[in-house]
Amino acid sequence: MGRHSLPDDYGAGAADPRARARRRTVAIATVLVLTVAAGTAAAVRGGLLSFSSSCQDQAVRLKIAASPDVAPALRAAADEARTKNITSDGHCLDIHVTARDSYQVTDSLLSGRKSDVQAWVPDSDLWVQRVTADARATPVTQAGNIASSPVVAAVVPTAAKTLGWPDRTYTWTELAGATTDDDRLKLGTADPSRSATGLLALTRLTSAAAEVKGGETQAAAMAKALSRRTAESDSQVLETLPRDSSGTEQRNPKRNQALILSEQTAFTHNASAGSGQKLGLFYPKDGSPRLDYPFTLVDQPRLSTDESRAALRFMTLLEQPEGTRILQKHGFRTSDEDASATIVTAAGGRSPQPYEEPAPEPASEKALQESLGMWTITVQSARITTVVDASASMSQAVPGSGRSRMEVTKASLLQALATFTPDDEIGLWDFSTKLDGDKDYRVLVPTGRLGDRRGGGTQRDRLSAAFSSLKPVRDGATGLYDTTLAAYKAATASYVQGKFNALVILTDGVNQDPGSISRSTLLTQLRKLADPRHPVPLIMIAVGPEAHQQEAERIAGATGGSGHQVDNPAQIHSVILKAIVEAGSQS
């Protein structure tokens, strides 16, 4: 991993000769050191030397929340620092590490409440991104990454032999297919909404599937299969393995023979497992995403100078020889370039598995969000009615695309439709003004299960045809208010328990029907219809520059839903999935 200057070396002009560039820059650590040192006395030199026990009298006490997998290593490093009287500016380090799941810390920080820790080490940078993206959250400042561990498929011995381990190699989609097509091989994972391991693997699977024709439907099917074998957390997913190596237990349909795990988790499991229960690891040949363990300061402006510098001092200790030894002892990789054969072997890896392959580029926030959105609707199954603006303004061209708003909207909706499974229920309305007699709206395809057959095709077939045939109404205006109320009444009246119920409305303008109800009447009626016991969030997407995001937010907010604005209709697919994730997390 990358190396950093130490707080006790600040002002000396010294640099660690072993410093190496990382894939992700950690220069922010230097900026942090300069920031917290401003206005302070010259730092005490020689921080690696042990001071007398008197330094304990003025020790700097820090509380660190850490992902459960890395917490034991950090505790060992903290004990080492305490035993050897390692100092920061003359003060001993008194570090206390608490194991907390990364999603739990993320939820706490997103609430904006004052934190009881000064530093946080989640298992992945994706949690840090989620917190920093929300201006209302307690701020966190990333200072560097202390370790890494690739995400792999861990398989019990009998199943590994069936799959040809270690000689045969697979891509992610081939692995998923091999373990979902064979009833004897069940693949389990931790919930991607609560596990970085699960989400990184799911995103890798969906990205790989998207490269082939019909891949989105295939990805949804794989997610559906995974959802049936999901545990709440990384620690709990290990409990789904067979409890012994007997043939009966291995074939137990309630047990998983393969798991998506980190290499480090497999390392820890194998260290205490019997010979017949040690896992073998498959490293997909199209690249294993990695957990990257970012070291972050929590609410850094609130920390004292001593606390900030002590936290950074502890982080750099983890990158000194003794610190890396501790991390490696616990099964973590400490170099981006070199995979320790000792760690890989203990974790269950063998040649010719491509365990030395460099990690693929980190998934984008958009890709992670889309995977999580697909997971949310896949796990719960969805009942969603989509209402599309068909006013004349939808015929306007989208700059740079050569297509109209309606054409781009249809393509985006068809893309979204491919992510839903046969168990999901989807319907379609369109609206303008006086589209059906005095009504501003009409039901094109009643909401129904996508896999249901009627006549010559399925509900999915009917929706695909209806989406494709959407077209703007000549001289049609935007009858938004009456349509919204009618569609929400229908959605709440047909609520289905156990599914994710929602109403999605897309409009490129504001209400233009002078004979409709007023906005205040609409909001009042929506609030009356909204029932927290049977939530049906309204997701309103304002499309184009004439649409008003504030109005969309105000209307959707009356139902507990969300309003969004997109300049380009091509963004609709991503926004719908993002909104579903947000609504699903609040239900």
Side-chain angles (χ1 to χ4, degrees):
M1 311 307 292
R3 309 286 175 177
H4 309 279
S5 60
L6 304 180
D8 272 344
D9 294 333
Y10 173 65
D16 191 327
R18 290 166 294 187
R20 288 185 280 116
R22 280 182 48 78
R23 172 168 46 84
R24 294 184 181 175
T25 179
V26 292
I28 186 64
T30 302
V31 175
L32 285 167
V33 171
L34 294 174
T35 300
V36 300
T40 65
V44 176
R45 298 204 47 177
L48 288 177
L49 300 176
S50 296
F51 278 56
S52 67
S53 60
S54 63
C55 76
Q56 294 285 356
D57 297 336
Q58 294 181 315
V60 181
R61 190 173 191 274
L62 290 177
K63 294 176 69 176
I64 299 178
S67 177
D69 51 350
V70 78
L74 297 187
R75 287 197 194 101
D79 290 343
E80 185 86 6
R82 195 177 296 112
T83 300
K84 293 187 175 181
N85 286 342
I86 300 298
T87 66
S88 169
D89 298 342
H91 301 294
C92 276
L93 301 178
D94 185 16
I95 310 293
H96 296 263
V97 180
T98 302
R100 293 179 64 187
D101 284 323
S102 298
Y103 79 89
Q104 293 177 331
V105 179
T106 299
D107 289 345
S108 177
L109 293 171
L110 288 172
S111 73
R113 293 191 298 268
K114 182 178 179 180
S115 179
D116 61 346
V117 300
Q118 290 77 46
W120 174 39
V121 184
D123 56 7
S124 173
D125 182 54
L126 68 85
W127 302 112
V128 179
Q129 292 176 18
R130 194 168 296 178
V131 174
T132 55
D134 192 329
R136 299 164 295 181
T138 300
V140 295
T141 308
Q142 185 170 337
N145 298 76
I146 62 170
S148 69
S149 189
V151 175
V152 297
V155 188
V156 298
T158 54
K161 182 178 179 180
T162 300
L163 292 171
W165 178 89
D167 297 316
R168 184 173 177 183
T169 58
Y170 293 82
T171 64
W172 276 103
T173 51
E174 287 169 348
L175 255 177
T179 55
T180 54
D181 293 343
D182 190 335
D183 288 339
R184 297 169 298 173
L185 300 176
K186 301 299 184 183
L187 176 65
T189 183
D191 184 348
S193 67
R194 297 185 171 190
S195 163
T197 305
L199 180 55
L200 290 172
L202 179 67
T203 304
R204 192 69 183 151
L205 275 167
T206 55
S207 297
E211 296 174 2
V212 300
K213 186 177 181 180
E216 288 179 320
T217 301
Q218 179 185 0
M222 287 190 296
K224 191 70 173 180
L226 275 176
S227 73
R228 299 189 181 103
R229 319 290 302 184
T230 300
E232 185 171 307
S233 66
D234 293 291
S235 58
Q236 290 183 3
V237 77
L238 283 169
E239 297 174 8
T240 68
L241 288 169
R243 288 183 292 261
D244 59 51
S245 56
S246 70
T248 300
E249 181 69 10
Q250 292 278 11
R251 293 191 295 272
N252 187 331
K254 295 182 179 180
R255 294 283 163 182
N256 291 316
Q257 291 75 41
L259 299 177
I260 291 172
L261 294 178
S262 71
E263 178 184 77
Q264 190 278 334
T265 301
F267 176 97
T268 302
H269 170 85
N270 284 352
S272 59
S275 59
Q277 295 177 290
K278 293 185 184 294
L279 300 170
L281 299 191
F282 284 91
Y283 295 76
K285 57 189 177 184
D286 49 346
S288 297
R290 293 189 184 180
L291 303 177
D292 55 5
Y293 301 93
F295 192 102
T296 66
L297 301 185
V298 178
D299 205 356
Q300 190 263 331
R302 177 178 62 86
L303 303 183
S304 69
T305 298
D306 285 343
E307 288 174 332
S308 294
R309 290 173 61 78
L312 295 174
R313 177 78 167 111
F314 181 65
M315 179 188 72
T316 55
L317 286 175
L318 294 167
E319 295 184 334
Q320 299 303 307
E322 186 61 23
T324 59
R325 183 191 67 79
I326 290 172
L327 287 165
Q328 290 169 359
K329 181 181 178 181
H330 285 79
F332 293 97
R333 298 191 181 191
T334 56
S335 169
D336 283 340
E337 291 81 16
D338 301 316
S340 165
T342 300
I343 291 174
V344 170
T345 300
R350 296 287 189 281
S351 182
Q353 290 297 313
Y355 58 80
E356 292 183 308
E357 287 295 311
E361 282 299 308
S364 67
E365 179 64 22
K366 177 184 176 183
L368 291 168
Q369 195 69 54
E370 290 186 355
S371 295
L372 193 53
M374 181 190 71
W375 178 262
T376 300
I377 59 179
T378 296
V379 170
Q380 283 191 279
S381 288
R383 179 177 173 82
I384 299 175
T385 300
T386 306
V387 183
V388 181
D389 190 343
S391 60
S393 56
M394 288 291 284
S395 62
Q396 294 183 15
V398 175
S401 72
R403 296 188 295 171
S404 70
R405 290 177 186 171
M406 181 62 86
E407 289 171 330
V408 177
T409 296
K410 290 191 296 187
S412 193
L413 289 172
L414 286 167
Q415 183 183 11
L417 179 63
T419 65
F420 290 89
T421 70
D423 289 331
D424 295 314
E425 299 178 33
I426 310 294
L428 176 64
W429 295 22
D430 68 349
F431 73 99
S432 180
T433 47
K434 299 191 183 307
L435 203 55
D436 182 11
D438 290 334
K439 296 179 181 178
D440 293 340
Y441 52 88
R442 61 187 172 189
V443 179
L444 298 179
V445 180
T447 303
R449 185 176 172 276
L450 289 178
D452 286 350
R453 286 190 168 274
R454 192 177 70 231
T458 63
Q459 174 81 350
R460 187 188 298 275
D461 296 331
R462 289 188 289 276
L463 278 168
S464 295
F467 279 140
S468 299
S469 64
L470 283 170
K471 58 184 179 181
V473 176
R474 184 176 180 180
D475 299 326
T478 305
L480 181 62
Y481 294 166
D482 284 349
T483 299
T484 299
L485 182 57
Y488 197 70
K489 282 181 178 179
T492 53
S494 59
Y495 179 88
V496 175
Q497 191 73 37
K499 287 183 178 285
F500 174 79
N501 293 253
L503 172 66
V504 177
I505 296 181
L506 300 100
T507 179
D508 73 341
V510 295
N511 185 65
Q512 297 173 326
D513 182 0
S516 73
I517 59 174
S518 66
R519 182 201 295 157
S520 61
T521 299
L522 171 63
L523 296 178
T524 299
Q525 292 297 316
L526 290 177
R527 293 188 186 104
K528 287 181 179 179
L529 289 166
D531 182 355
R533 296 168 301 177
H534 302 102
V536 183
L538 166 58
I539 298 168
M540 183 167 283
I541 302 176
V543 183
E546 289 83 23
H548 287 230
Q549 182 173 0
Q550 287 186 342
E551 175 154 278
E553 291 174 345
R554 190 177 298 113
I555 294 172
T559 71
S562 56
H564 308 264
Q565 180 161 17
V566 296
D567 293 328
N568 188 331
Q571 301 166 324
I572 289 171
H573 173 224
S574 298
V575 170
I576 289 176
L577 292 177
K578 178 181 179 180
I580 286 172
V581 172
E582 292 175 354
S585 66
Q586 295 170 8
S587 61

